[in-house]
Short mmCIF file of all heavy atoms in Angstrom, two decimals:
data_model
loop_
_atom_site.label_atom_id
_atom_site.label_comp_id
_atom_site.label_asym_id
_atom_site.label_seq_id
_atom_site.Cartn_x
_atom_site.Cartn_y
_atom_site.Cartn_z
N VAL A 16 9.66 -18.80 -5.49
CA VAL A 16 8.54 -18.96 -6.39
C VAL A 16 8.76 -20.25 -7.18
O VAL A 16 9.80 -20.43 -7.81
CB VAL A 16 8.43 -17.77 -7.37
CG1 VAL A 16 7.30 -17.99 -8.35
CG2 VAL A 16 8.24 -16.47 -6.63
N TYR A 17 7.80 -21.14 -7.08
CA TYR A 17 7.81 -22.38 -7.85
C TYR A 17 6.66 -22.27 -8.84
O TYR A 17 5.52 -22.07 -8.44
CB TYR A 17 7.59 -23.58 -6.93
CG TYR A 17 8.64 -23.70 -5.85
CD1 TYR A 17 8.44 -23.11 -4.62
CD2 TYR A 17 9.82 -24.40 -6.08
CE1 TYR A 17 9.40 -23.21 -3.61
CE2 TYR A 17 10.78 -24.51 -5.09
CZ TYR A 17 10.56 -23.91 -3.86
OH TYR A 17 11.50 -24.01 -2.88
N THR A 18 6.97 -22.40 -10.14
CA THR A 18 5.92 -22.21 -11.14
C THR A 18 6.24 -22.98 -12.41
O THR A 18 7.41 -23.25 -12.70
CB THR A 18 5.73 -20.71 -11.43
OG1 THR A 18 4.62 -20.53 -12.30
CG2 THR A 18 6.97 -20.09 -12.04
N ASP A 19 5.21 -23.32 -13.17
CA ASP A 19 5.46 -23.98 -14.45
C ASP A 19 5.49 -23.03 -15.65
O ASP A 19 6.06 -23.38 -16.66
CB ASP A 19 4.51 -25.16 -14.67
CG ASP A 19 3.06 -24.84 -14.46
OD1 ASP A 19 2.70 -23.67 -14.28
OD2 ASP A 19 2.25 -25.79 -14.48
N PRO A 20 4.95 -21.79 -15.60
CA PRO A 20 5.20 -20.87 -16.69
C PRO A 20 6.68 -20.46 -16.69
O PRO A 20 7.29 -20.37 -15.62
CB PRO A 20 4.32 -19.66 -16.39
CG PRO A 20 3.27 -20.16 -15.48
CD PRO A 20 3.92 -21.25 -14.69
N PRO A 21 7.27 -20.22 -17.84
CA PRO A 21 8.70 -19.94 -17.90
C PRO A 21 9.11 -18.50 -17.55
O PRO A 21 10.29 -18.22 -17.43
CB PRO A 21 9.06 -20.24 -19.34
CG PRO A 21 7.81 -19.98 -20.09
CD PRO A 21 6.69 -20.37 -19.17
N GLY A 22 8.16 -17.60 -17.39
CA GLY A 22 8.51 -16.20 -17.15
C GLY A 22 8.02 -15.68 -15.81
O GLY A 22 7.10 -16.22 -15.21
N LEU A 23 8.66 -14.61 -15.37
CA LEU A 23 8.27 -13.95 -14.12
C LEU A 23 8.41 -12.45 -14.33
O LEU A 23 9.48 -11.97 -14.71
CB LEU A 23 9.16 -14.40 -12.97
CG LEU A 23 8.85 -13.79 -11.61
CD1 LEU A 23 7.55 -14.35 -11.05
CD2 LEU A 23 9.99 -14.05 -10.64
N GLN A 24 7.34 -11.72 -14.11
CA GLN A 24 7.34 -10.25 -14.22
C GLN A 24 7.37 -9.67 -12.82
O GLN A 24 6.59 -10.07 -11.96
CB GLN A 24 6.08 -9.77 -14.96
CG GLN A 24 5.99 -8.29 -15.12
CD GLN A 24 6.99 -7.74 -16.12
OE1 GLN A 24 7.24 -8.34 -17.15
NE2 GLN A 24 7.58 -6.62 -15.81
N LEU A 25 8.28 -8.74 -12.59
CA LEU A 25 8.41 -8.09 -11.29
C LEU A 25 7.89 -6.66 -11.42
O LEU A 25 8.32 -5.91 -12.29
CB LEU A 25 9.87 -8.06 -10.84
CG LEU A 25 10.17 -7.15 -9.64
CD1 LEU A 25 9.62 -7.78 -8.38
CD2 LEU A 25 11.64 -6.89 -9.53
N TYR A 26 6.94 -6.30 -10.57
CA TYR A 26 6.45 -4.93 -10.49
C TYR A 26 6.87 -4.37 -9.14
O TYR A 26 6.61 -4.98 -8.11
CB TYR A 26 4.92 -4.87 -10.59
CG TYR A 26 4.37 -5.39 -11.89
CD1 TYR A 26 3.86 -6.67 -11.98
CD2 TYR A 26 4.35 -4.58 -13.02
CE1 TYR A 26 3.35 -7.15 -13.17
CE2 TYR A 26 3.84 -5.04 -14.22
CZ TYR A 26 3.34 -6.34 -14.28
OH TYR A 26 2.84 -6.81 -15.46
N SER A 27 7.54 -3.24 -9.14
CA SER A 27 7.94 -2.62 -7.87
C SER A 27 6.82 -1.69 -7.41
O SER A 27 5.88 -1.42 -8.12
CB SER A 27 9.23 -1.83 -8.05
OG SER A 27 9.03 -0.73 -8.90
N GLY A 28 6.95 -1.19 -6.21
CA GLY A 28 5.92 -0.33 -5.65
C GLY A 28 6.16 1.15 -5.90
O GLY A 28 5.66 1.99 -5.16
N ASN A 29 6.93 1.49 -6.95
CA ASN A 29 7.24 2.91 -7.17
C ASN A 29 6.02 3.73 -7.58
O ASN A 29 6.04 4.94 -7.48
CB ASN A 29 8.38 3.09 -8.17
CG ASN A 29 8.04 2.58 -9.55
OD1 ASN A 29 7.18 1.73 -9.70
ND2 ASN A 29 8.73 3.07 -10.55
N GLY A 30 4.94 3.11 -8.04
CA GLY A 30 3.73 3.84 -8.39
C GLY A 30 2.74 3.94 -7.25
O GLY A 30 1.67 4.51 -7.39
N MET A 31 3.10 3.38 -6.11
CA MET A 31 2.20 3.42 -4.96
C MET A 31 2.22 4.80 -4.33
O MET A 31 3.12 5.59 -4.56
CB MET A 31 2.58 2.35 -3.94
CG MET A 31 2.43 0.94 -4.48
SD MET A 31 2.82 -0.32 -3.27
CE MET A 31 1.35 -0.24 -2.26
N GLY A 32 1.23 5.06 -3.52
CA GLY A 32 1.14 6.34 -2.84
C GLY A 32 0.25 7.34 -3.54
O GLY A 32 0.06 8.46 -3.09
N LYS A 33 -0.31 6.92 -4.69
CA LYS A 33 -1.16 7.81 -5.48
C LYS A 33 -2.61 7.35 -5.51
O LYS A 33 -3.46 8.06 -6.01
CB LYS A 33 -0.63 7.89 -6.91
CG LYS A 33 0.78 8.37 -7.01
CD LYS A 33 1.28 8.30 -8.44
CE LYS A 33 2.74 8.68 -8.52
NZ LYS A 33 3.28 8.51 -9.86
N GLY A 34 -2.87 6.17 -5.00
CA GLY A 34 -4.20 5.60 -5.13
C GLY A 34 -5.07 5.83 -3.91
O GLY A 34 -4.69 6.53 -2.98
N PRO A 35 -6.25 5.22 -3.93
CA PRO A 35 -7.18 5.35 -2.80
C PRO A 35 -6.64 4.61 -1.58
O PRO A 35 -5.70 3.83 -1.68
CB PRO A 35 -8.46 4.71 -3.32
CG PRO A 35 -8.00 3.75 -4.36
CD PRO A 35 -6.78 4.37 -4.99
N ALA A 36 -7.26 4.84 -0.45
CA ALA A 36 -6.86 4.17 0.79
C ALA A 36 -7.00 2.66 0.64
O ALA A 36 -7.88 2.17 -0.07
CB ALA A 36 -7.70 4.67 1.96
N LEU A 37 -6.13 1.94 1.30
CA LEU A 37 -6.17 0.49 1.27
C LEU A 37 -7.18 -0.02 2.29
O LEU A 37 -7.78 0.75 3.04
CB LEU A 37 -4.78 -0.06 1.61
CG LEU A 37 -3.66 0.38 0.67
CD1 LEU A 37 -2.33 -0.08 1.20
CD2 LEU A 37 -3.89 -0.13 -0.74
N ARG A 38 -7.35 -1.31 2.33
CA ARG A 38 -8.28 -1.93 3.27
C ARG A 38 -7.93 -1.50 4.70
O ARG A 38 -6.76 -1.40 5.06
CB ARG A 38 -8.17 -3.45 3.16
CG ARG A 38 -9.21 -4.18 3.99
CD ARG A 38 -9.10 -5.66 3.85
NE ARG A 38 -9.29 -6.03 2.46
CZ ARG A 38 -9.00 -7.21 1.96
NH1 ARG A 38 -8.49 -8.14 2.73
NH2 ARG A 38 -9.20 -7.48 0.69
N GLY A 39 -8.91 -1.19 5.47
CA GLY A 39 -8.70 -0.76 6.84
C GLY A 39 -8.35 0.71 6.96
O GLY A 39 -7.99 1.19 8.03
N GLY A 40 -8.41 1.45 5.85
CA GLY A 40 -8.13 2.87 5.87
C GLY A 40 -6.66 3.23 5.85
O GLY A 40 -6.29 4.40 5.99
N HIS A 41 -5.80 2.26 5.64
CA HIS A 41 -4.36 2.51 5.60
C HIS A 41 -3.99 3.21 4.30
O HIS A 41 -4.58 2.97 3.25
CB HIS A 41 -3.57 1.21 5.72
CG HIS A 41 -3.83 0.49 7.00
ND1 HIS A 41 -3.25 0.85 8.18
CD2 HIS A 41 -4.64 -0.57 7.27
CE1 HIS A 41 -3.68 0.05 9.13
NE2 HIS A 41 -4.53 -0.84 8.60
N SER A 42 -3.00 4.07 4.35
CA SER A 42 -2.53 4.78 3.16
C SER A 42 -1.47 3.97 2.45
O SER A 42 -0.69 3.25 3.07
CB SER A 42 -1.93 6.14 3.56
OG SER A 42 -2.91 6.93 4.17
N GLU A 43 -1.42 4.11 1.11
CA GLU A 43 -0.34 3.51 0.35
C GLU A 43 0.95 4.25 0.64
O GLU A 43 0.95 5.44 0.90
CB GLU A 43 -0.62 3.62 -1.15
CG GLU A 43 -1.71 2.73 -1.65
CD GLU A 43 -1.81 2.80 -3.17
OE1 GLU A 43 -1.15 3.65 -3.79
OE2 GLU A 43 -2.56 2.01 -3.73
N VAL A 44 2.06 3.54 0.56
CA VAL A 44 3.38 4.13 0.76
C VAL A 44 4.20 3.84 -0.49
O VAL A 44 4.24 2.69 -0.96
CB VAL A 44 4.08 3.51 1.99
CG1 VAL A 44 5.48 4.06 2.14
CG2 VAL A 44 3.26 3.73 3.24
N LYS A 45 4.83 4.86 -1.05
CA LYS A 45 5.66 4.65 -2.24
C LYS A 45 6.71 3.58 -1.93
O LYS A 45 7.33 3.60 -0.86
CB LYS A 45 6.33 5.95 -2.66
CG LYS A 45 7.03 5.84 -4.00
CD LYS A 45 7.41 7.19 -4.53
CE LYS A 45 8.00 7.01 -5.92
NZ LYS A 45 7.97 8.20 -6.70
N TYR A 46 6.90 2.65 -2.85
CA TYR A 46 7.80 1.50 -2.70
C TYR A 46 7.35 0.57 -1.58
O TYR A 46 8.13 -0.21 -1.07
CB TYR A 46 9.24 1.94 -2.47
CG TYR A 46 9.76 2.89 -3.52
CD1 TYR A 46 10.04 4.21 -3.21
CD2 TYR A 46 9.94 2.46 -4.83
CE1 TYR A 46 10.50 5.09 -4.16
CE2 TYR A 46 10.41 3.33 -5.81
CZ TYR A 46 10.68 4.65 -5.46
OH TYR A 46 11.13 5.51 -6.42
N GLY A 47 6.09 0.63 -1.21
CA GLY A 47 5.58 -0.16 -0.10
C GLY A 47 5.07 -1.53 -0.49
O GLY A 47 4.38 -2.18 0.29
N GLY A 48 5.38 -1.99 -1.69
CA GLY A 48 4.91 -3.30 -2.10
C GLY A 48 5.67 -3.81 -3.30
O GLY A 48 6.43 -3.09 -3.93
N VAL A 49 5.45 -5.07 -3.59
CA VAL A 49 6.07 -5.70 -4.74
C VAL A 49 5.10 -6.76 -5.27
O VAL A 49 4.32 -7.33 -4.50
CB VAL A 49 7.45 -6.32 -4.38
CG1 VAL A 49 7.29 -7.46 -3.39
CG2 VAL A 49 8.19 -6.76 -5.60
N CYS A 50 5.12 -6.98 -6.56
CA CYS A 50 4.26 -7.98 -7.18
C CYS A 50 5.11 -8.90 -8.05
O CYS A 50 5.90 -8.41 -8.86
CB CYS A 50 3.18 -7.29 -8.02
SG CYS A 50 2.16 -8.45 -8.96
N LEU A 51 4.95 -10.19 -7.89
CA LEU A 51 5.60 -11.18 -8.74
C LEU A 51 4.51 -11.88 -9.53
O LEU A 51 3.67 -12.56 -8.96
CB LEU A 51 6.38 -12.19 -7.91
CG LEU A 51 7.51 -11.62 -7.06
CD1 LEU A 51 8.08 -12.70 -6.16
CD2 LEU A 51 8.59 -11.03 -7.93
N GLU A 52 4.51 -11.69 -10.84
CA GLU A 52 3.46 -12.25 -11.70
C GLU A 52 4.09 -13.27 -12.64
O GLU A 52 4.93 -12.94 -13.47
CB GLU A 52 2.83 -11.12 -12.51
CG GLU A 52 1.76 -11.56 -13.45
CD GLU A 52 1.22 -10.38 -14.24
OE1 GLU A 52 0.55 -9.53 -13.65
OE2 GLU A 52 1.50 -10.33 -15.47
N THR A 53 3.68 -14.54 -12.51
CA THR A 53 4.19 -15.57 -13.40
C THR A 53 3.45 -15.49 -14.74
O THR A 53 2.27 -15.16 -14.79
CB THR A 53 4.01 -16.96 -12.79
OG1 THR A 53 2.62 -17.20 -12.55
CG2 THR A 53 4.79 -17.08 -11.49
N GLN A 54 4.18 -15.74 -15.81
CA GLN A 54 3.61 -15.63 -17.15
C GLN A 54 4.51 -16.33 -18.16
O GLN A 54 5.58 -16.81 -17.82
CB GLN A 54 3.44 -14.16 -17.53
CG GLN A 54 4.72 -13.35 -17.45
CD GLN A 54 4.49 -11.87 -17.69
OE1 GLN A 54 5.09 -11.34 -18.59
NE2 GLN A 54 3.67 -11.23 -16.90
N THR A 55 4.05 -16.35 -19.40
CA THR A 55 4.88 -16.90 -20.46
C THR A 55 5.95 -15.86 -20.82
O THR A 55 6.04 -14.82 -20.19
CB THR A 55 4.02 -17.24 -21.69
OG1 THR A 55 3.30 -16.08 -22.08
CG2 THR A 55 3.04 -18.36 -21.38
N GLU A 56 6.74 -16.16 -21.82
CA GLU A 56 7.85 -15.28 -22.18
C GLU A 56 7.36 -13.90 -22.60
O GLU A 56 6.30 -13.76 -23.21
CB GLU A 56 8.65 -15.88 -23.34
CG GLU A 56 9.27 -17.21 -23.03
CD GLU A 56 8.34 -18.35 -23.37
OE1 GLU A 56 7.20 -18.11 -23.79
OE2 GLU A 56 8.75 -19.50 -23.19
N PRO A 57 8.16 -12.85 -22.33
CA PRO A 57 7.80 -11.50 -22.81
C PRO A 57 7.68 -11.48 -24.33
O PRO A 57 8.47 -12.11 -25.03
CB PRO A 57 8.98 -10.64 -22.35
CG PRO A 57 9.58 -11.39 -21.23
CD PRO A 57 9.37 -12.85 -21.53
N GLY A 58 6.69 -10.79 -24.84
CA GLY A 58 6.49 -10.65 -26.28
C GLY A 58 5.84 -11.84 -26.95
O GLY A 58 5.71 -11.87 -28.17
N CYS A 59 5.40 -12.84 -26.18
CA CYS A 59 4.86 -14.06 -26.79
C CYS A 59 3.56 -13.78 -27.55
O CYS A 59 3.31 -14.41 -28.58
CB CYS A 59 4.65 -15.14 -25.75
SG CYS A 59 3.44 -14.74 -24.49
N VAL A 60 2.75 -12.85 -27.09
CA VAL A 60 1.49 -12.55 -27.79
C VAL A 60 1.80 -11.90 -29.14
O VAL A 60 1.18 -12.23 -30.15
CB VAL A 60 0.59 -11.65 -26.93
CG1 VAL A 60 -0.64 -11.22 -27.70
CG2 VAL A 60 0.18 -12.38 -25.66
N ALA A 61 2.79 -11.03 -29.19
CA ALA A 61 3.18 -10.39 -30.45
C ALA A 61 3.69 -11.42 -31.46
O ALA A 61 3.56 -11.24 -32.67
CB ALA A 61 4.24 -9.33 -30.19
N ARG A 62 4.27 -12.51 -30.96
CA ARG A 62 4.77 -13.58 -31.84
C ARG A 62 3.69 -14.60 -32.16
O ARG A 62 3.94 -15.57 -32.87
CB ARG A 62 5.95 -14.28 -31.18
CG ARG A 62 7.19 -13.42 -31.03
CD ARG A 62 8.40 -14.24 -30.58
NE ARG A 62 8.16 -15.01 -29.38
CZ ARG A 62 8.41 -14.59 -28.15
NH1 ARG A 62 8.87 -13.38 -27.94
NH2 ARG A 62 8.18 -15.38 -27.11
N GLY A 63 2.47 -14.43 -31.62
CA GLY A 63 1.39 -15.37 -31.88
C GLY A 63 1.41 -16.60 -30.99
O GLY A 63 0.72 -17.57 -31.26
N GLU A 64 2.19 -16.55 -29.93
CA GLU A 64 2.27 -17.66 -28.99
C GLU A 64 1.39 -17.36 -27.77
O GLU A 64 1.05 -16.22 -27.52
CB GLU A 64 3.71 -17.86 -28.53
CG GLU A 64 4.67 -18.12 -29.67
CD GLU A 64 6.12 -18.05 -29.23
OE1 GLU A 64 6.39 -17.97 -28.03
OE2 GLU A 64 6.98 -18.06 -30.12
N ALA A 65 1.05 -18.37 -27.03
CA ALA A 65 0.28 -18.23 -25.78
C ALA A 65 -1.06 -17.54 -26.00
O ALA A 65 -1.52 -16.78 -25.17
CB ALA A 65 1.09 -17.49 -24.72
N ILE A 66 -1.68 -17.79 -27.15
CA ILE A 66 -3.02 -17.28 -27.42
C ILE A 66 -3.95 -18.48 -27.42
O ILE A 66 -3.72 -19.46 -28.13
CB ILE A 66 -3.08 -16.54 -28.76
CG1 ILE A 66 -2.15 -15.33 -28.72
CG2 ILE A 66 -4.50 -16.12 -29.08
CD1 ILE A 66 -2.02 -14.59 -30.03
N TYR A 67 -4.98 -18.41 -26.60
CA TYR A 67 -5.87 -19.55 -26.43
C TYR A 67 -7.24 -19.23 -26.99
O TYR A 67 -7.72 -18.11 -26.89
CB TYR A 67 -5.98 -19.90 -24.94
CG TYR A 67 -4.64 -20.24 -24.35
CD1 TYR A 67 -3.86 -19.27 -23.74
CD2 TYR A 67 -4.14 -21.53 -24.43
CE1 TYR A 67 -2.61 -19.58 -23.23
CE2 TYR A 67 -2.90 -21.85 -23.91
CZ TYR A 67 -2.14 -20.87 -23.31
OH TYR A 67 -0.91 -21.17 -22.81
N GLY A 68 -7.86 -20.22 -27.58
CA GLY A 68 -9.20 -20.08 -28.11
C GLY A 68 -10.24 -20.10 -27.00
O GLY A 68 -9.96 -20.50 -25.87
N LYS A 69 -11.47 -19.71 -27.34
CA LYS A 69 -12.52 -19.61 -26.32
C LYS A 69 -12.86 -20.94 -25.69
O LYS A 69 -13.35 -20.99 -24.57
CB LYS A 69 -13.76 -18.95 -26.90
CG LYS A 69 -14.44 -19.77 -27.97
CD LYS A 69 -15.70 -19.11 -28.45
CE LYS A 69 -16.41 -20.01 -29.45
NZ LYS A 69 -17.71 -19.52 -29.79
N ASP A 70 -12.63 -22.05 -26.37
CA ASP A 70 -12.95 -23.36 -25.82
C ASP A 70 -11.75 -24.06 -25.20
O ASP A 70 -11.88 -25.16 -24.68
CB ASP A 70 -13.55 -24.24 -26.91
CG ASP A 70 -14.89 -23.71 -27.42
OD1 ASP A 70 -15.62 -23.12 -26.59
OD2 ASP A 70 -15.19 -23.87 -28.60
N GLU A 71 -10.59 -23.43 -25.25
CA GLU A 71 -9.39 -24.03 -24.67
C GLU A 71 -9.30 -23.67 -23.19
O GLU A 71 -9.69 -22.58 -22.78
CB GLU A 71 -8.14 -23.54 -25.38
CG GLU A 71 -8.01 -24.04 -26.81
CD GLU A 71 -6.73 -23.56 -27.44
OE1 GLU A 71 -5.71 -24.26 -27.30
OE2 GLU A 71 -6.75 -22.47 -28.04
N ILE A 72 -8.79 -24.59 -22.42
CA ILE A 72 -8.62 -24.36 -20.99
C ILE A 72 -7.15 -24.09 -20.72
O ILE A 72 -6.27 -24.86 -21.14
CB ILE A 72 -9.09 -25.58 -20.17
CG1 ILE A 72 -10.58 -25.79 -20.38
CG2 ILE A 72 -8.76 -25.39 -18.70
CD1 ILE A 72 -11.11 -27.05 -19.75
N TYR A 73 -6.88 -22.98 -20.05
CA TYR A 73 -5.52 -22.62 -19.67
C TYR A 73 -5.37 -22.82 -18.17
O TYR A 73 -6.15 -22.29 -17.38
CB TYR A 73 -5.24 -21.16 -20.03
CG TYR A 73 -3.94 -20.65 -19.46
CD1 TYR A 73 -2.72 -21.01 -20.02
CD2 TYR A 73 -3.93 -19.83 -18.35
CE1 TYR A 73 -1.53 -20.57 -19.51
CE2 TYR A 73 -2.73 -19.37 -17.81
CZ TYR A 73 -1.54 -19.74 -18.39
OH TYR A 73 -0.36 -19.31 -17.87
N THR A 74 -4.38 -23.58 -17.78
CA THR A 74 -4.09 -23.74 -16.36
C THR A 74 -2.59 -23.67 -16.15
O THR A 74 -1.81 -24.02 -17.03
CB THR A 74 -4.60 -25.09 -15.81
OG1 THR A 74 -3.93 -26.15 -16.50
CG2 THR A 74 -6.09 -25.24 -15.96
N HIS A 75 -2.21 -23.18 -15.00
CA HIS A 75 -0.83 -23.25 -14.57
C HIS A 75 -0.80 -23.25 -13.05
O HIS A 75 -1.80 -22.95 -12.41
CB HIS A 75 0.02 -22.11 -15.15
CG HIS A 75 -0.23 -20.78 -14.54
ND1 HIS A 75 -1.14 -19.88 -15.05
CD2 HIS A 75 0.31 -20.17 -13.45
CE1 HIS A 75 -1.15 -18.79 -14.31
NE2 HIS A 75 -0.28 -18.94 -13.33
N THR A 76 0.35 -23.60 -12.52
CA THR A 76 0.49 -23.68 -11.07
C THR A 76 1.63 -22.77 -10.64
O THR A 76 2.69 -22.77 -11.23
CB THR A 76 0.82 -25.13 -10.64
OG1 THR A 76 -0.24 -25.98 -11.10
CG2 THR A 76 0.97 -25.24 -9.14
N THR A 77 1.36 -22.00 -9.59
CA THR A 77 2.37 -21.13 -8.98
C THR A 77 2.27 -21.25 -7.47
O THR A 77 1.18 -21.17 -6.92
CB THR A 77 2.18 -19.66 -9.40
OG1 THR A 77 2.28 -19.58 -10.83
CG2 THR A 77 3.23 -18.76 -8.78
N VAL A 78 3.40 -21.44 -6.84
CA VAL A 78 3.46 -21.52 -5.38
C VAL A 78 4.45 -20.46 -4.91
O VAL A 78 5.60 -20.43 -5.36
CB VAL A 78 3.92 -22.91 -4.90
CG1 VAL A 78 4.06 -22.94 -3.39
CG2 VAL A 78 2.96 -23.99 -5.39
N TYR A 79 3.99 -19.59 -4.03
CA TYR A 79 4.86 -18.60 -3.40
C TYR A 79 5.17 -19.10 -2.00
O TYR A 79 4.27 -19.33 -1.20
CB TYR A 79 4.17 -17.23 -3.31
CG TYR A 79 3.87 -16.63 -4.66
CD1 TYR A 79 2.62 -16.78 -5.25
CD2 TYR A 79 4.84 -15.92 -5.35
CE1 TYR A 79 2.34 -16.22 -6.48
CE2 TYR A 79 4.57 -15.35 -6.58
CZ TYR A 79 3.32 -15.51 -7.14
OH TYR A 79 3.06 -14.96 -8.36
N LYS A 80 6.43 -19.29 -1.70
CA LYS A 80 6.82 -19.79 -0.39
C LYS A 80 7.64 -18.71 0.31
O LYS A 80 8.70 -18.30 -0.19
CB LYS A 80 7.65 -21.05 -0.53
CG LYS A 80 8.05 -21.68 0.79
CD LYS A 80 8.82 -22.97 0.56
CE LYS A 80 9.22 -23.57 1.89
NZ LYS A 80 10.02 -24.78 1.70
N LEU A 81 7.14 -18.25 1.44
CA LEU A 81 7.83 -17.21 2.22
C LEU A 81 8.37 -17.85 3.49
O LEU A 81 7.68 -18.59 4.18
CB LEU A 81 6.87 -16.08 2.57
CG LEU A 81 6.19 -15.40 1.39
CD1 LEU A 81 5.17 -14.41 1.88
CD2 LEU A 81 7.20 -14.74 0.48
N GLU A 82 9.62 -17.56 3.79
CA GLU A 82 10.24 -18.08 4.98
C GLU A 82 10.84 -16.93 5.79
O GLU A 82 11.39 -15.99 5.21
CB GLU A 82 11.34 -19.07 4.65
CG GLU A 82 10.87 -20.33 3.98
CD GLU A 82 12.00 -21.29 3.67
OE1 GLU A 82 13.16 -20.98 4.00
OE2 GLU A 82 11.72 -22.34 3.10
N GLU A 83 10.76 -17.04 7.07
CA GLU A 83 11.41 -16.06 7.94
C GLU A 83 12.77 -16.61 8.31
O GLU A 83 12.90 -17.72 8.81
CB GLU A 83 10.58 -15.82 9.19
CG GLU A 83 11.19 -14.78 10.09
CD GLU A 83 10.34 -14.51 11.31
OE1 GLU A 83 9.24 -15.05 11.42
OE2 GLU A 83 10.81 -13.75 12.17
N ARG A 84 13.79 -15.84 8.03
CA ARG A 84 15.16 -16.24 8.38
C ARG A 84 15.59 -15.46 9.62
O ARG A 84 15.46 -14.25 9.66
CB ARG A 84 16.12 -15.94 7.23
CG ARG A 84 15.72 -16.59 5.93
CD ARG A 84 16.45 -17.84 5.76
NE ARG A 84 15.96 -18.50 4.54
CZ ARG A 84 16.67 -19.39 3.93
NH1 ARG A 84 17.85 -19.72 4.35
NH2 ARG A 84 16.17 -19.98 2.86
N VAL A 85 16.09 -16.17 10.59
CA VAL A 85 16.51 -15.52 11.84
C VAL A 85 18.01 -15.59 11.97
O VAL A 85 18.66 -16.49 11.62
CB VAL A 85 15.84 -16.20 13.06
CG1 VAL A 85 16.28 -15.52 14.34
CG2 VAL A 85 14.36 -16.18 12.91
#
């Protein structure tokens, strides 16, 4: 993961398997997925940081690079 925000939140798939069918009618499988969400530091909103006004533009860049290792 290449990104300019300083934080990364990892969500595991332990809550999967309880939701509706996925695209194509496939069923969810517990621990069947992972999510990597780039963001600012944890707790930044509580500290009054990373809050943007309605006229401010927020942009960031994140690149996920997956490679197959043989």
Side-chain angles (χ1 to χ4, degrees):
V16 177
Y17 301 91
T18 186
D19 50 8
L23 180 72
Q24 180 71 40
L25 168 73
Y26 298 100
S27 66
N29 63 337
M31 296 182 75
K33 302 175 185 175
L37 301 173
R38 186 179 301 166
H41 299 281
S42 298
E43 288 186 351
V44 177
K45 189 167 184 159
Y46 306 112
V49 65
C50 174
L51 299 173
E52 179 182 290
T53 60
Q54 56 186 238
T55 55
E56 299 90 356
C59 64
V60 174
R62 293 190 306 269
E64 302 169 9
I66 298 174
Y67 301 92
K69 66 177 184 171
D70 295 327
E71 292 182 89
I72 296 174
Y73 170 76
T74 62
H75 74 267
T76 302
T77 300
V78 176
Y79 296 96
K80 183 177 179 183
L81 303 174
E82 295 180 1
E83 182 178 355
R84 304 263 175 159
V85 180

